[in-house]
């Protein structure tokens, strides 16, 4: 009796709600932490970045004008989908990061809890970051946090799931659309989360996930003039050069941090919001 | 006495057939015990009473009557759960319990809507589209706060208060339970909740939901009963905080009873909301807003826009349009999806409304009542508008808590503000005008906890709600709603 | 600046003037402006909430059947494609007259709606029926032509026997504030219609705001429209429930202030019986029962008819039926 041959999966990019092979037709081999073959993964190109930014731009306004409650429900739905696929995610994290099963499980659990954390932020950001301003005059004056727009994220190279979640969910929660380049060598947990987003009520284009070589993807994202914000968490050696490229279109840039992806801090949330202030007269 | 039945210039060509929701969806049990320490248990006295469908007068189910020993047991369970479990549960874990509860409310929404309508008499359209979804939304919202309390503006590590005693009214039974429980649990408190005597059933379904959510035993306890049950809860020494929603009269008694104790108190009491209409208002939407303001939930709404203040230049036109619109309201079977106005919640409430309407007529106001046919069984009152009301009339001063609107007029913004504030209450007001500057000018001067502009009776979990003056103190909803349940 | 309001003569327009027994009640562009400015604003949030609330009305079996028949009797069965052929129009006319050949109790639709060159064929095909022939004229759908050309377009359709004319307003003129020009065109077209009924298409998707919808509705009614109509069906935003609500409020208020009852036609994107019933509910609870007849309310639609017929057959048979029960055209 012959053993059943397993059916292997090709990991594709998530662009505009669809699963696509790279426009370039390229793929690359991803190995686990022990150096063994783990998966073939689409190798995104500059043109994939271009398509993703276009999709993100088209989707962003709708994502922002949906109610904050609705955005929270969508993010919470993502947590539900991830919870249902915890085992699979844990296997990928274990393979990618070379950690034991228990540690991988714990990491995935923290990542899912982090999704829940951000789901709860959508309708609270305005209450924490916004407010009325008692200007000296007959005016009703209030400030509201609004999203920067399209945010490019270089997901951390090491923390394949937790770090991916934190860098991606923060800009999403406040109403940005995201184009994320996954960890180059550990892309599958992020690609899986992208798959889940496509089946959890996300409008197409709000979250676009591209795997590939960071040195190819990052400069395109950093220099793309229709990208409003850039998180350089996974930028590596090219960090400062990318930050400089972002200056051409005055992007909001978040520099790589200490890698704490479960901190009870609003720092990442605040990275890609603008403050919009309204003055209104008061008089009979 | 003047009662002008309205001209019937309407409908007829397109009669909607009854479209009743099925009462069997409610799946009610014959009898419910008290929900203490995670289980339904008998009252110590074994006493019980029936909850009645106000639209028919029929008994729906028997519920246990909690007395002092039961209150002792519930408070002890809440204290034990607080000490041993809930105060040691992380915010992220509490959040997940609340998310579960929210999801379960969504999943059982149809059943909850039917139960609410059967027990309260409110139209199924409202329980289905407003009460139940808003209740779920409250749990979702406060779930999100449970692991973010240090960001709420009350310091780095705000602590809960302890055991909260919560007494809720009969007008929005499930929604008021959500308003009370969600912030309390998010902040880390345990609760003893007492639903209203005439509308206990949806809270008991909620108890089942808490079981399904595997909320640790004793974190929430639900005691059905009457005013004596509430009084025992208020006076119980093991309770750290009382939250009450109900009449100003009872609120006053409660405040007196907790005076001198360390108990914290929030009160959400009655109102006599003014809906102020300027002559540049968007007229069609304004008419709908006035209608919603007073006939939503049969006017059993503490923030109802029960006084309409109309600028004199458009008073005749507003009254004419209003009266025409009142006549269009579909009054009847609350389970019918096309019903706009349902049953009065109880015989006692109907008697109060009838008495105040009689006073309005006796004092010389002009009464317009819908010519709608009222069902013969149950408790009903035709939607009614009083014109030519003056500020001194009882119907302009006392909370009727029924489908009765008093119309007064004004000439200037200053007079509108003065008339709106001419009340001991201060819960909610409405302002209708397309001139934003004036709306804000008026809003600044109104003594009310909530002011709606070009809308009325809007509720959202993110928005604080509560009164000033004799409408009570403390806020429910929003970031502000956490404060009542934090030791800050 | 309005020309018609100043210069009222046959020579200017080359066609018969409006019925002198019913002259425009507006005497100058200034007066028109002030009448339109005096209309109350529409609060978009409130209007949309009201429309959404009415959409929750539940119309069940016994009241659904008459509602479906009412809808059929209110349909302007429409084909407005460049590829329209006389054969296709003839087939549509047959269907308009007898929507369900197997069920003689099915009412005829109100009218067929076609381009002017297809009017004569439709007219002869419908001889002996109650079905009217409506023509879209005035450089439909854009309205981008000189007044003279528009009037010729109308005259052509009327000469071919059109019972109803669906004209478009000049949205550019309206949005840029040339209200008198829009008014004049309607008055001129109305007079060119003769006895034909005039439906004035506001193209509400291009007017964008509800305030504009309300003002354009009043402008059209003051200029003599017999019907005000939402859309051409040729721009992406066609009829919506809140727009219909605002227009029905306008005809109700206009009737109260002038005594004249103007009809409303919703057109574009109404494909299901469920949608159509929602519009009927808005009619019923906004303008009232007087408007619940084809003389005062119409649906401009093509695929709607088949869905209504399917619902009707479903009620008769008690099971869901195939779309192929009814011919596509």
């Amino acid at each position: 009796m012959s053993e059943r041959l397993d059916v292997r999966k090709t990991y594709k990019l998530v662009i505009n709600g669809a699963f696509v092979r790279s426009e370039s037709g390229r793929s690359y081999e991803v190995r686990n932490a022990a150096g063994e073959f783990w998966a073939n993964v689409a190798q995104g190109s500059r043109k994939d970045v271009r398509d993703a930014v276009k999709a993100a731009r088209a989707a962003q306004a709708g994502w922002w004008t949906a109610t904050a409650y609705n955005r929270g429900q969508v993010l919470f739905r993502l947590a539900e989908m991830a919870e249902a696929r915890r085992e699979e995610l844990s296997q990928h994290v274990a393979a990618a990061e070379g950690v034991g099963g228990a540690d991988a499980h714990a990491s995935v659990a923290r990542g899912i809890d982090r999704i829940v954390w951000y789901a709860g932020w959508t309708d609270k950001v305005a209450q924490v970051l916004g407010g009325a301003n008692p200007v000296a005059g007959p005016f009703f004056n209030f400030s509201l946090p609004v999203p920067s727009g399209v945010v490019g994220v270089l997901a951390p190279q090491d923390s394949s799931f937790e770090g991916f979640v934190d860098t991606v969910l923060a800009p999403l929660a406040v109403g940005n659309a995201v184009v994320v380049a996954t960890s180059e060598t550990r892309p599958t947990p992020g690609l899986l989360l992208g798959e889940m987003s496509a089946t959890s009520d996300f409008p197409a284009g709000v979250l676009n996930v591209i795997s590939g070589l960071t040195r190819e993807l990052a400069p395109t994202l950093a220099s793309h003039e229709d990208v409003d914000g850039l998180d350089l968490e996974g930028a590596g050696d090219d960090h400062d050069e990318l930050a400089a490229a972002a200056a051409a279109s005055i992007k909001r840039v978040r520099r790589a941090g200490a890698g704490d992806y479960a901190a009870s801090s609003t720092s990442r949330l605040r990275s890609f919001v603008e403050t919009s202030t309204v003055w209104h007269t008061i008089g009979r | 006495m003047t009662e002008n039945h309205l001209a019937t210039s309407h409908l007829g060509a397109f009669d909607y057939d009854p479209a009743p929701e099925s009462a069997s969806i409610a799946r009610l049990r014959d009898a419910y015990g008290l929900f203490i320490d995670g289980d339904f248990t008998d009252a110590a006295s074994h006493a019980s009473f029936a909850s009645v469908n106000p639209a028919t007068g029929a008994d729906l189910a028997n519920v246990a009557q909690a007395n002092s020993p039961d209150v002792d047991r519930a408070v002890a369970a809440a204290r034990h759960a607080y000490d041993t479990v809930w105060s040691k549960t992380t915010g992220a874990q509490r959040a997940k319990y609340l998310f579960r509860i929210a999801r379960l409310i969504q999943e059982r929404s149809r059943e909850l809507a039917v139960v609410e309508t059967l027990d309260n008499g409110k139209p199924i359209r409202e329980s289905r589209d407003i009460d139940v979804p808003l209740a779920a939304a409250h749990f979702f919202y406060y779930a999100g706060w449970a692991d973010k309390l240090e960001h709420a503006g009350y310091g780095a590590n705000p602590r809960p208060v302890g055991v909260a005693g919560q007494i809720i009214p009969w007008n929005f039974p499930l929604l008021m339970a959500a308003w009370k429980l969600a912030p309390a649990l998010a902040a880390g408190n345990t609760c003893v909740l007492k639903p209203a005597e005439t509308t206990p059933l949806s809270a008991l379904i909620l108890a089942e939901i808490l079981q399904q959510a595997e909320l640790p035993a004793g974190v929430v306890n639900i005691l059905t009963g009457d005013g004596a049950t509430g009084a025992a809860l208020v006076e119980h020494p093991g309770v750290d905080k009382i939250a009450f929603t109900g009449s100003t009269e009872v609120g006053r008694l409660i405040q007196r009873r907790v005076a001198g104790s360390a108990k914290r108190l929030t009160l959400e009491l009655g109102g006599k909301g003014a809906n102020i209409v300027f002559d540049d208002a968007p007229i069609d939407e304004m008419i709908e807003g006035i209608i919603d303001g007073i006939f939503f939930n049969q006017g059993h709404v503490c923030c109802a826009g029960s006084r309409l203040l109309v600028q004199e230049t458009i008073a005749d036109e507003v009254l004419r349009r209003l009266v025409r619109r009142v006549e269009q309201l579909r009054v009847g079977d609350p389970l019918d999806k096309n019903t706009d106005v349902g049953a009065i919640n109880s015989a006692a409430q109907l008697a109060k409304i009838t008495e105040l309407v009689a006073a309005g007529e006796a004092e010389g106001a002009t009464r317009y009542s819908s010519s709608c046919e009222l069902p013969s069984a149950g408790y009903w009152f035709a939607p009614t508008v009083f014109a030519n009301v003056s500020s001194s009339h009882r119907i302009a001063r006392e909370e009727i808590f029924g489908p009765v609107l008093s119309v007064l007029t004004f000439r200037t913004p200053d007079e509108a503000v003065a008339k709106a504030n001419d009340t001991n209450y201060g819960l909610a007001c409405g302002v209708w005008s397309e001139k934003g500057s004036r709306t804000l000018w008026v809003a600044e001067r109104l003594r009310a906890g909530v002011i709606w502009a070009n809308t009325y009776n809007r509720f959202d979990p993110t928005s604080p709600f509560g009164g000033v003056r004799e409408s009570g103190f403390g806020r429910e909803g929003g970031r502000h709603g956490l404060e009542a349940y934090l030791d800050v | 600046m309005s020309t018609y309001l100043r210069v009222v003569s046959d020579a200017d327009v080359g066609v018969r003037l409006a019925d002198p027994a019913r002259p425009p009640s507006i005497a100058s562009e200034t007066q028109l402006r002030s009448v339109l400015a005096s209309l109350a604003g529409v609060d978009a949030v409130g209007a949309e909430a009201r429309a959404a609330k009415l959409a929750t009305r539940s119309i069940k079996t016994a009241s659904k059947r008459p509602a479906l028949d009412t809808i059929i009797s209110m349909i302007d069965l429409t084909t407005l494609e460049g590829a329209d052929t006389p054969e296709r129009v003839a087939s549509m006319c047959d269907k308009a007259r007898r929507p369900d050949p197997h069920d003689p109790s099915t009412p005829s639709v109100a009218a067929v709606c076609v381009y002017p060159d297809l009017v004569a064929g439709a007219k002869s095909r419908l001889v002996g029926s109650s079905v009217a022939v409506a023509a879209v004229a005035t450089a439909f759908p854009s309205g981008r032509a000189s007044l003279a050309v528009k009037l010729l377009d109308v005259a052509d359709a009327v000469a071919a026997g059109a019972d109803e004319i669906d004209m478009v307003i000049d949205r550019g003129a309206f949005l840029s504030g040339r209200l008198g020009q829009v008014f004049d065109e309607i008055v001129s077209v109305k007079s060119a219609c003769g006895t034909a009924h005039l439906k004035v298409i506001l193209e509400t998707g291009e007017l964008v705001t509800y305030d504009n919808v309300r003002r354009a509705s009043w402008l059209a009614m003051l200029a003599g429209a017999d019907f005000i109509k939402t859309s051409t069906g040729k721009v992406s935003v066609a009829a919506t429930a809140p727009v219909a609500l605002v227009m029905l409020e306008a005809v109700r208020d206009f009737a109260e202030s002038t005594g004249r009852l103007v009809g409303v036609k919703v057109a574009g994107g109404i494909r299901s019986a469920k949608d159509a019933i929602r519009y009927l509910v808005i009619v019923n609870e906004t303008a009232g029962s007087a408007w619940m007849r084809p003389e005062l309310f119409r649906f401009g639609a093509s695929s709607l008819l088949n869905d209504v017929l399917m619902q009707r057959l479903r009620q008769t048979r008690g099971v869901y039926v195939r779309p192929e029960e009814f011919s596509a055209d």
Side-chain angles (χ1 to χ4, degrees), chain A residues 124-173:
Chain A
K124 295 170 189 72
V125 170
Q127 297 178 307
V128 171
L129 303 184
N133 311 305
V135 294
F139 301 98
F140 184 61
N141 177 302
F142 60 97
S143 295
L144 290 172
V146 298
S148 298
V150 172
V151 173
V153 174
L154 302 179
Q157 298 296 339
D158 50 354
S159 181
S160 62
F161 184 67
E162 277 190 83
F164 183 91
V165 164
D166 195 44
T167 52
V168 165
L169 270 285
L172 287 175

Side-chain angles (χ1 to χ4, degrees), chain C residues 77-125:
Chain C
L77 197 57
T78 301
T79 186
L80 295 171
E81 302 299 329
D84 285 345
T85 59
E87 293 72 28
R88 180 161 185 224
V89 170
S91 157
M92 188 176 81
C93 289
D94 295 346
K95 184 158 183 170
R97 185 198 288 250
R98 291 179 64 201
D100 184 351
H102 305 296
D103 182 354
S105 75
T106 314
S108 302
V109 304
V112 294
C113 183
V114 296
Y115 276 114
D117 61 320
L118 296 165
V119 166
K123 195 68 194 165
S124 66
R125 191 80 177 192

Side-chain angles (χ1 to χ4, degrees), chain A residues 221-229 243-253:
Chain A
L221 256 186
S223 61
H224 196 306
E225 296 193 352
D226 203 27
V227 171
D228 303 295
S249 59
I250 321 288
K251 285 183 182 50
R252 287 82 180 107
V253 176

